[in-house]
Amino acid sequence: MSGYFSSYAIVAVLIAIGVAIFAAGLLVSRLLRPDHPTREKLTTYECGVDPVGEGWAQSQIRYYVFTYLYVVFAVDAVFLFPWATVFAAPGFGLATLVEMFVFLAFIALGILYAWRKRVLAWT
């Protein structure tokens, strides 16, 4: 098989092999495990405490906001490392420095906005 689609065929074969290995592992574990369900084993387990009430609980939005802020800082860090390598290359010094300060200014504006909206307060 040669041509344009040969590289796609290799990827498809590797994906099929990966799925087969995964499915074989699940099948073998299902065949080897003991299976003796009882009423106690089928109840919901919550840190050693018997469950009381419904399984629905609301969580505050600030936890999601902290998650988004973490993603912003992670993206910031991901862009800072390649910037450090490009900054050292000849001919990119001043332009790269200005671009990074513009990028950091946008990040700082986002943090300032979150701080002014009192998103960063834990309680």
Side-chain angles (χ1 to χ4, degrees), residues 20-105:
I21 290 172
F22 180 75
L26 287 177
L27 180 66
V28 167
S29 68
R30 183 174 201 137
L31 293 175
L32 295 178
R33 71 177 180 175
D35 189 26
H36 306 291
T38 62
R39 181 173 174 85
E40 289 81 21
K41 287 183 182 179
L42 296 176
T43 60
T44 305
Y45 181 75
E46 211 35 72
C47 298
V49 179
D50 289 333
V52 177
E54 296 183 21
W56 177 257
Q58 293 183 350
S59 59
Q60 296 184 7
I61 189 70
R62 75 172 47 110
Y63 299 122
Y64 297 107
V65 173
F66 281 120
T67 303
Y68 290 136
L69 287 175
Y70 170 76
V71 169
V72 166
F73 286 124
V75 168
D76 185 25
V78 165
F79 282 122
L80 281 176
F81 288 115
W83 170 78
T85 59
V86 171
F87 182 68
F92 289 104
L94 184 61
T96 307
L97 185 65
V98 170
E99 288 175 1
M100 186 47 63
F101 277 117
V102 168
F103 177 72
L104 290 175

XYZ file of all heavy atoms in Angstrom, residues 20-105:
683
model
N -7.602 -3.084 20.865
C -7.636 -4.534 21.110
C -6.932 -4.880 22.420
O -7.416 -5.714 23.191
C -7.005 -5.278 19.942
N -5.792 -4.261 22.695
C -5.079 -4.521 23.947
C -5.918 -4.065 25.131
O -6.025 -4.763 26.151
C -3.698 -3.841 23.932
C -2.784 -4.544 22.934
C -3.071 -3.820 25.322
C -1.465 -3.846 22.704
N -6.538 -2.900 25.021
C -7.386 -2.391 26.090
C -8.577 -3.325 26.336
O -8.887 -3.669 27.474
C -7.871 -0.982 25.718
C -8.744 -0.357 26.750
C -8.215 0.134 27.926
C -10.111 -0.263 26.543
C -9.020 0.716 28.883
C -10.930 0.312 27.490
C -10.384 0.806 28.661
N -9.253 -3.739 25.266
C -10.405 -4.630 25.393
C -9.988 -5.990 25.956
O -10.705 -6.580 26.778
C -11.083 -4.805 24.035
N -8.819 -6.484 25.545
C -8.337 -7.764 26.072
C -8.056 -7.661 27.567
O -8.371 -8.587 28.328
C -7.086 -8.207 25.323
N -7.496 -6.563 28.008
C -7.249 -6.362 29.429
C -8.539 -6.334 30.229
O -8.634 -6.930 31.304
N -9.555 -5.650 29.713
C -10.844 -5.634 30.392
C -11.480 -7.016 30.428
O -12.071 -7.419 31.434
C -11.785 -4.641 29.703
C -11.490 -3.167 29.908
C -12.470 -2.317 29.096
C -11.575 -2.795 31.366
N -11.384 -7.742 29.327
C -11.970 -9.079 29.264
C -11.275 -10.033 30.236
O -11.933 -10.782 30.964
C -11.898 -9.628 27.835
C -12.471 -11.027 27.639
C -13.981 -11.015 27.867
C -12.134 -11.542 26.262
N -9.949 -9.999 30.275
C -9.208 -10.880 31.172
C -9.518 -10.544 32.625
O -9.732 -11.433 33.454
C -7.689 -10.796 30.894
C -6.876 -11.453 31.992
C -7.369 -11.415 29.557
N -9.592 -9.267 32.962
C -9.903 -8.896 34.346
C -11.328 -9.309 34.710
O -11.587 -9.693 35.851
C -9.714 -7.394 34.553
O -10.683 -6.664 33.835
N -12.237 -9.265 33.768
C -13.613 -9.694 34.051
C -13.698 -11.206 34.261
O -14.468 -11.693 35.087
C -14.529 -9.268 32.908
C -15.962 -9.610 33.180
C -16.879 -9.075 32.124
N -18.205 -9.013 32.720
C -19.033 -8.020 32.572
N -18.707 -6.989 31.842
N -20.210 -8.050 33.132
N -12.899 -11.937 33.523
C -12.908 -13.394 33.662
C -12.233 -13.857 34.951
O -12.607 -14.877 35.526
C -12.226 -14.039 32.459
C -12.947 -13.897 31.118
C -12.086 -14.469 29.996
C -14.301 -14.571 31.164
N -11.235 -13.129 35.430
C -10.464 -13.562 36.588
C -10.984 -13.041 37.920
O -10.627 -13.584 38.961
C -9.000 -13.137 36.425
C -8.236 -13.781 35.282
C -6.827 -13.230 35.209
C -8.210 -15.292 35.426
N -11.807 -12.031 37.919
C -12.254 -11.446 39.186
C -13.339 -12.304 39.834
O -14.120 -12.966 39.144
C -12.793 -10.039 38.961
C -14.107 -10.061 38.226
C -14.683 -8.711 38.059
N -15.944 -8.864 37.326
C -16.753 -7.890 37.081
N -16.456 -6.686 37.479
N -17.861 -8.107 36.418
N -13.404 -12.272 41.157
C -14.524 -12.946 41.819
C -15.783 -12.099 41.692
O -15.729 -10.869 41.753
C -14.070 -13.058 43.275
C -13.057 -11.992 43.434
C -12.423 -11.779 42.097
N -16.918 -12.753 41.501
C -18.174 -12.027 41.311
C -19.237 -12.610 42.242
O -19.902 -13.581 41.893
C -18.614 -12.128 39.844
C -19.778 -11.223 39.541
O -19.943 -10.208 40.235
O -20.536 -11.532 38.594
N -19.350 -12.022 43.438
C -20.330 -12.456 44.422
C -21.071 -11.233 44.954
O -20.819 -10.796 46.076
C -19.660 -13.212 45.573
C -18.823 -14.359 45.121
N -19.357 -15.509 44.573
C -17.479 -14.539 45.116
C -18.383 -16.330 44.255
N -17.230 -15.767 44.582
N -21.975 -10.633 44.180
C -22.653 -9.426 44.652
C -23.627 -9.736 45.784
O -24.344 -10.732 45.754
C -23.381 -8.915 43.419
C -23.576 -10.124 42.564
C -22.412 -11.023 42.848
N -23.612 -8.893 46.780
C -24.582 -8.969 47.879
C -25.240 -7.607 48.015
O -24.827 -6.633 47.387
C -23.897 -9.338 49.206
O -22.963 -8.311 49.545
C -23.178 -10.678 49.120
N -26.242 -7.530 48.851
C -26.955 -6.266 49.039
C -26.034 -5.190 49.613
O -26.075 -4.034 49.212
C -28.158 -6.487 49.944
C -28.986 -5.253 50.176
C -30.262 -5.590 50.957
N -30.991 -4.412 51.312
C -31.872 -3.799 50.524
N -32.095 -4.275 49.318
N -32.513 -2.723 50.935
N -25.166 -5.576 50.531
C -24.248 -4.617 51.139
C -23.220 -4.116 50.130
O -22.815 -2.953 50.161
C -23.539 -5.236 52.345
C -24.418 -5.462 53.560
C -25.246 -6.741 53.443
O -24.854 -7.626 52.652
O -26.279 -6.833 54.111
N -22.777 -4.991 49.252
C -21.782 -4.586 48.266
C -22.360 -3.637 47.219
O -21.624 -2.857 46.612
C -21.199 -5.808 47.563
C -20.257 -6.605 48.417
C -19.689 -7.748 47.604
C -18.762 -8.602 48.432
N -18.232 -9.723 47.650
N -23.651 -3.711 46.990
C -24.270 -2.888 45.954
C -24.751 -1.527 46.466
O -25.231 -0.727 45.680
C -25.435 -3.650 45.310
C -25.041 -4.920 44.557
C -26.277 -5.645 44.053
C -24.102 -4.587 43.416
N -24.633 -1.271 47.780
C -25.042 0.036 48.303
C -23.955 1.064 48.012
O -22.792 0.743 47.794
C -25.282 -0.010 49.828
O -24.074 -0.410 50.468
C -26.408 -0.951 50.175
N -24.356 2.317 48.016
C -23.415 3.404 47.774
C -22.491 3.553 48.974
O -22.937 3.549 50.115
C -24.182 4.714 47.535
O -25.109 4.510 46.479
C -23.245 5.835 47.179
N -21.207 3.699 48.712
C -20.214 3.836 49.773
C -19.681 5.260 49.753
O -19.170 5.720 48.749
C -19.084 2.838 49.569
C -18.030 2.890 50.633
C -18.274 2.365 51.882
C -16.794 3.473 50.393
C -17.321 2.402 52.869
C -15.837 3.514 51.371
C -16.099 2.978 52.612
O -15.150 3.025 53.587
N -19.783 5.957 50.847
C -19.400 7.359 50.924
C -18.457 7.552 52.107
O -18.869 7.908 53.195
C -20.673 8.171 51.115
C -20.801 9.559 50.573
C -20.148 9.911 49.271
O -20.600 9.472 48.222
O -19.194 10.680 49.322
N -17.190 7.243 51.949
C -16.164 7.461 52.972
C -16.500 6.775 54.289
O -16.249 7.324 55.367
C -15.944 8.948 53.200
S -15.361 9.816 51.758
N -17.065 5.619 54.258
C -17.356 4.885 55.469
C -18.648 5.261 56.150
O -19.005 4.700 57.171
N -19.382 6.207 55.609
C -20.628 6.667 56.204
C -21.774 6.201 55.312
O -21.712 6.313 54.083
C -20.635 8.203 56.337
C -21.924 8.692 56.940
C -19.443 8.678 57.139
N -22.824 5.701 55.922
C -23.981 5.294 55.136
C -24.616 6.510 54.473
O -24.760 7.565 55.104
C -25.017 4.614 56.034
C -24.548 3.251 56.500
O -23.752 2.634 55.773
O -24.969 2.822 57.590
N -24.996 6.409 53.206
C -25.579 7.557 52.515
C -26.948 7.921 53.076
O -27.754 7.061 53.396
C -25.682 7.091 51.065
C -25.686 5.608 51.140
C -24.896 5.242 52.347
N -27.170 9.240 53.216
C -28.439 9.744 53.723
C -28.943 10.784 52.736
O -28.190 11.659 52.314
C -28.261 10.385 55.120
C -29.564 10.979 55.600
C -27.740 9.363 56.099
N -30.194 10.714 52.372
C -30.776 11.699 51.470
C -30.500 11.380 50.016
O -30.173 10.255 49.641
N -30.624 12.412 49.183
C -30.432 12.248 47.751
C -28.963 12.343 47.385
O -28.144 12.813 48.151
C -31.217 13.326 47.004
C -32.715 13.226 47.188
C -33.447 14.276 46.380
O -32.869 14.795 45.414
O -34.585 14.571 46.712
N -28.648 11.957 46.186
C -27.283 12.022 45.699
C -26.956 13.322 45.006
O -25.895 13.467 44.421
N -27.832 14.289 45.056
C -27.628 15.552 44.365
C -27.102 16.592 45.349
O -27.666 16.794 46.417
C -28.947 16.035 43.767
C -28.833 17.360 43.102
C -29.245 18.552 43.601
C -28.274 17.632 41.826
N -28.983 19.543 42.719
C -28.379 19.013 41.612
C -27.690 16.856 40.845
C -27.919 19.621 40.461
C -27.242 17.462 39.702
C -27.371 18.824 39.522
N -26.019 17.243 44.975
C -25.463 18.312 45.808
C -24.979 19.428 44.900
O -24.380 19.173 43.854
C -24.312 17.787 46.651
N -25.246 20.635 45.292
C -24.798 21.783 44.512
C -23.429 22.219 45.009
O -23.132 22.141 46.196
C -25.781 22.935 44.647
C -27.118 22.659 44.014
C -28.038 23.859 44.108
O -27.754 24.814 44.789
N -29.145 23.785 43.409
N -22.617 22.680 44.084
C -21.319 23.234 44.459
C -21.276 24.685 44.019
O -21.948 25.090 43.074
C -20.184 22.446 43.825
O -20.310 22.466 42.426
N -20.477 25.448 44.728
C -20.433 26.878 44.457
C -19.662 27.163 43.179
O -18.731 26.443 42.812
C -19.800 27.603 45.629
C -20.626 27.488 46.890
C -20.028 28.288 48.022
O -19.070 29.019 47.827
N -20.599 28.142 49.195
N -20.011 28.254 42.532
C -19.408 28.612 41.255
C -17.950 29.021 41.413
O -17.159 28.901 40.483
C -20.234 29.733 40.564
C -19.769 29.981 39.130
C -20.129 31.012 41.357
C -20.090 28.869 38.204
N -17.560 29.440 42.614
C -16.185 29.915 42.782
C -15.172 28.805 42.547
O -14.050 29.076 42.165
C -15.996 30.571 44.138
C -15.911 29.634 45.299
C -15.517 30.360 46.583
N -16.279 31.562 46.784
C -17.198 31.717 47.738
N -17.422 30.738 48.585
N -17.853 32.835 47.859
N -15.544 27.555 42.749
C -14.608 26.469 42.474
C -14.312 26.376 40.981
O -13.182 26.105 40.587
C -15.161 25.148 43.001
C -15.368 25.164 44.496
C -16.621 24.909 45.048
C -14.328 25.465 45.357
C -16.813 24.934 46.415
C -14.516 25.494 46.726
C -15.763 25.219 47.246
O -15.953 25.253 48.590
N -15.310 26.614 40.155
C -15.087 26.625 38.717
C -14.241 27.819 38.309
O -13.407 27.728 37.415
C -16.418 26.633 37.970
C -17.242 25.401 38.225
C -18.380 25.452 39.019
C -16.863 24.179 37.687
C -19.123 24.317 39.263
C -17.602 23.039 37.932
C -18.732 23.117 38.718
O -19.461 22.000 38.966
N -14.440 28.936 38.978
C -13.651 30.127 38.669
C -12.188 29.887 39.017
O -11.283 30.271 38.263
C -14.217 31.358 39.412
C -13.311 32.556 39.240
C -15.607 31.672 38.911
N -11.922 29.233 40.156
C -10.544 28.895 40.494
C -9.947 27.968 39.446
O -8.770 28.099 39.093
C -10.466 28.242 41.871
C -10.543 29.212 43.001
C -11.548 29.126 43.939
C -9.614 30.224 43.129
C -11.627 30.023 44.982
C -9.676 31.128 44.164
C -10.683 31.029 45.093
N -10.739 27.069 38.927
C -10.256 26.170 37.887
C -9.889 26.955 36.635
O -8.841 26.719 36.025
C -11.328 25.119 37.555
O -11.664 24.419 38.754
C -10.837 24.148 36.518
N -10.735 27.884 36.238
C -10.431 28.696 35.058
C -9.196 29.550 35.274
O -8.376 29.715 34.367
C -11.618 29.569 34.682
C -12.774 28.790 34.121
C -14.072 29.052 34.520
C -12.583 27.789 33.191
C -15.137 28.328 34.011
C -13.632 27.063 32.684
C -14.914 27.339 33.097
O -15.946 26.627 32.592
N -9.036 30.099 36.471
C -7.838 30.886 36.748
C -6.591 30.014 36.688
O -5.542 30.446 36.199
C -7.954 31.569 38.109
C -8.926 32.730 38.164
C -9.052 33.243 39.589
C -8.486 33.848 37.239
N -6.694 28.777 37.173
C -5.561 27.864 37.066
C -5.215 27.614 35.601
O -4.036 27.592 35.231
C -5.852 26.537 37.765
C -4.798 25.514 37.469
C -3.558 25.578 38.083
C -5.027 24.509 36.531
C -2.574 24.657 37.792
C -4.050 23.586 36.234
C -2.829 23.657 36.869
O -1.860 22.758 36.560
N -6.218 27.427 34.770
C -5.969 27.201 33.346
C -5.288 28.415 32.733
O -4.359 28.283 31.927
C -7.289 26.856 32.614
C -7.106 26.882 31.110
C -7.800 25.512 33.064
N -5.714 29.604 33.125
C -5.077 30.821 32.605
C -3.604 30.845 32.993
O -2.731 31.135 32.161
C -5.813 32.077 33.129
C -4.993 33.325 32.899
C -7.163 32.204 32.460
N -3.288 30.542 34.241
C -1.892 30.547 34.660
C -1.100 29.427 33.989
O 0.080 29.598 33.678
C -1.786 30.429 36.175
C -2.160 31.692 36.884
C -3.158 31.689 37.834
C -1.528 32.881 36.590
C -3.512 32.848 38.489
C -1.869 34.040 37.234
C -2.865 34.031 38.188
N -1.729 28.285 33.755
C -1.041 27.191 33.072
C -0.729 27.569 31.630
O 0.368 27.302 31.133
C -1.890 25.931 33.128
N -1.672 28.205 30.963
C -1.431 28.662 29.593
C -0.341 29.714 29.585
O 0.523 29.738 28.696
C -2.739 29.197 28.960
C -2.472 29.931 27.674
C -3.703 28.056 28.726
N -0.347 30.576 30.566
C 0.699 31.589 30.684
C 2.060 30.923 30.800
O 3.013 31.315 30.117
C 0.416 32.460 31.907
C 1.389 33.604 32.037
O 1.946 34.022 31.006
O 1.576 34.095 33.166
N 2.171 29.922 31.632
C 3.446 29.225 31.802
C 3.847 28.495 30.528
O 5.030 28.457 30.168
C 3.353 28.244 32.964
N 2.888 27.937 29.816
C 3.187 27.223 28.574
C 3.753 28.175 27.525
O 4.634 27.817 26.752
C 1.925 26.499 28.048
C 2.084 26.059 26.617
C 1.606 25.322 28.939
N 3.286 29.414 27.512
C 3.796 30.384 26.547
C 5.110 31.020 26.995
O 5.862 31.516 26.167
C 2.772 31.481 26.286
C 1.678 31.046 25.359
C 0.365 31.095 25.752
C 1.962 30.587 24.089
C -0.642 30.695 24.908
C 0.966 30.183 23.229
C -0.340 30.235 23.649
N 5.392 31.027 28.279
C 6.628 31.652 28.749
C 7.868 30.827 28.413
O 8.914 31.391 28.117
C 6.557 31.888 30.257
C 5.747 33.102 30.689
C 5.668 33.161 32.198
C 6.329 34.378 30.148
N 7.785 29.513 28.449
C 8.966 28.699 28.188
C 9.451 28.809 26.736
O 10.644 29.007 26.509
C 8.714 27.246 28.583
C 8.678 27.059 30.073
C 7.523 26.668 30.703
C 9.805 27.295 30.844
C 7.481 26.501 32.078
C 9.784 27.145 32.215
C 8.618 26.746 32.835
N 8.572 28.689 25.730
C 9.078 28.882 24.364
C 9.557 30.316 24.124
O 10.489 30.540 23.365
C 7.881 28.566 23.469
C 6.948 27.811 24.307
C 7.201 28.225 25.713
N 8.926 31.273 24.790
C 9.351 32.656 24.644
C 10.793 32.827 25.111
O 11.568 33.546 24.494
C 8.433 33.576 25.447
C 8.945 34.972 25.531
C 8.879 35.933 24.573
C 9.622 35.558 26.640
N 9.464 37.084 25.014
C 9.938 36.872 26.293
C 9.999 35.097 27.890
C 10.601 37.734 27.141
C 10.653 35.947 28.741
C 10.949 37.251 28.364
N 11.149 32.166 26.177
C 12.509 32.284 26.695
C 13.528 31.744 25.699
O 14.622 32.284 25.577
C 12.621 31.556 28.028
N 13.192 30.717 24.952
C 14.133 30.188 23.967
C 14.206 31.066 22.725
O 15.268 31.240 22.147
C 13.749 28.757 23.563
O 12.440 28.761 23.012
C 13.792 27.831 24.762
N 13.079 31.635 22.309
C 13.077 32.502 21.133
C 13.742 33.832 21.450
O 14.391 34.437 20.608
C 11.627 32.721 20.625
C 11.575 33.785 19.555
C 11.075 31.426 20.097
N 13.610 34.292 22.683
C 14.185 35.575 23.081
C 15.698 35.571 22.916
O 16.292 36.595 22.581
C 13.817 35.879 24.531
C 14.316 37.201 25.014
C 13.793 38.376 24.509
C 15.294 37.274 25.986
C 14.248 39.603 24.947
C 15.754 38.493 26.433
C 15.235 39.658 25.913
N 16.319 34.427 23.118
C 17.769 34.340 23.003
C 18.242 34.263 21.551
O 19.410 34.486 21.275
C 18.278 33.120 23.772
N 17.343 33.973 20.612
C 17.729 33.865 19.202
C 18.058 35.245 18.646
O 17.429 36.238 18.999
C 16.602 33.221 18.401
N 19.037 35.321 17.765
C 19.410 36.627 17.207
C 18.307 37.196 16.307
O 17.669 36.468 15.548
C 20.679 36.329 16.398
C 20.725 34.861 16.213
C 19.902 34.254 17.291
N 18.056 38.477 16.441
C 17.073 39.150 15.612
C 15.672 39.184 16.193
O 14.787 39.819 15.628
N 15.428 38.531 17.306
C 14.094 38.486 17.902
C 14.025 39.215 19.236
O 12.987 39.202 19.885
C 13.660 37.030 18.131
C 13.356 36.300 16.864
C 14.255 35.383 16.365
C 12.182 36.531 16.176
C 13.987 34.705 15.204
C 11.905 35.857 15.016
C 12.811 34.944 14.523
N 15.078 39.815 19.686
C 15.159 40.365 21.027
C 14.083 41.361 21.380
O 13.211 41.086 22.218
N 14.065 42.539 20.774
C 13.151 43.608 21.170
C 11.701 43.280 20.809
O 10.795 43.485 21.617
C 13.569 44.931 20.520
C 12.759 46.148 20.933
C 12.891 46.381 22.439
C 13.186 47.355 20.154
N 11.474 42.743 19.623
C 10.104 42.416 19.213
C 9.508 41.350 20.121
O 8.345 41.453 20.547
C 10.089 41.941 17.762
N 10.289 40.356 20.457
C 9.802 39.292 21.334
C 9.542 39.822 22.733
O 8.565 39.442 23.382
C 10.823 38.148 21.380
O 11.123 37.747 20.058
C 10.288 36.977 22.147
N 10.400 40.704 23.205
C 10.216 41.286 24.531
C 8.933 42.108 24.600
O 8.150 41.981 25.550
C 11.426 42.156 24.886
C 11.442 42.746 26.280
C 11.548 41.636 27.305
C 12.586 43.722 26.427
N 8.662 42.907 23.569
C 7.440 43.708 23.538
C 6.206 42.805 23.473
O 5.221 43.031 24.190
C 7.475 44.696 22.346
C 6.132 45.363 22.140
C 8.557 45.733 22.559
N 6.246 41.783 22.642
C 5.112 40.862 22.541
C 4.839 40.170 23.869
O 3.679 39.995 24.258
C 5.369 39.820 21.456
C 5.295 40.374 20.055
C 5.682 39.347 19.013
O 5.980 38.190 19.392
O 5.693 39.690 17.832
N 5.878 39.786 24.585
C 5.667 39.109 25.862
C 5.100 40.070 26.898
O 4.252 39.680 27.700
C 6.971 38.485 26.365
C 6.781 37.654 27.601
S 5.384 36.483 27.582
C 5.818 35.398 26.281
N 5.530 41.313 26.886
C 4.958 42.262 27.836
C 3.495 42.564 27.518
O 2.686 42.763 28.425
C 5.788 43.544 27.910
C 6.961 43.426 28.832
C 8.247 43.545 28.359
C 6.772 43.168 30.182
C 9.330 43.425 29.214
C 7.836 43.049 31.048
C 9.128 43.169 30.557
N 3.127 42.550 26.245
C 1.713 42.714 25.882
C 0.918 41.508 26.382
O -0.169 41.657 26.953
C 1.559 42.890 24.353
C 0.108 42.766 23.926
C 2.137 44.227 23.920
N 1.467 40.324 26.198
C 0.803 39.106 26.675
C 0.655 39.133 28.193
O -0.420 38.851 28.736
C 1.604 37.886 26.231
C 1.052 36.588 26.728
C -0.122 36.069 26.212
C 1.714 35.879 27.717
C -0.632 34.866 26.671
C 1.210 34.685 28.179
C 0.041 34.176 27.656
N 1.711 39.489 28.894
C 1.643 39.555 30.356
C 0.696 40.652 30.821
O 0.064 40.530 31.877
C 3.039 39.763 30.937
C 3.979 38.567 30.810
C 5.365 38.931 31.319
C 3.434 37.364 31.528
N 0.559 41.725 30.048
C -0.395 42.778 30.405
C -1.827 42.255 30.317
O -2.651 42.577 31.182
C -0.207 43.991 29.490
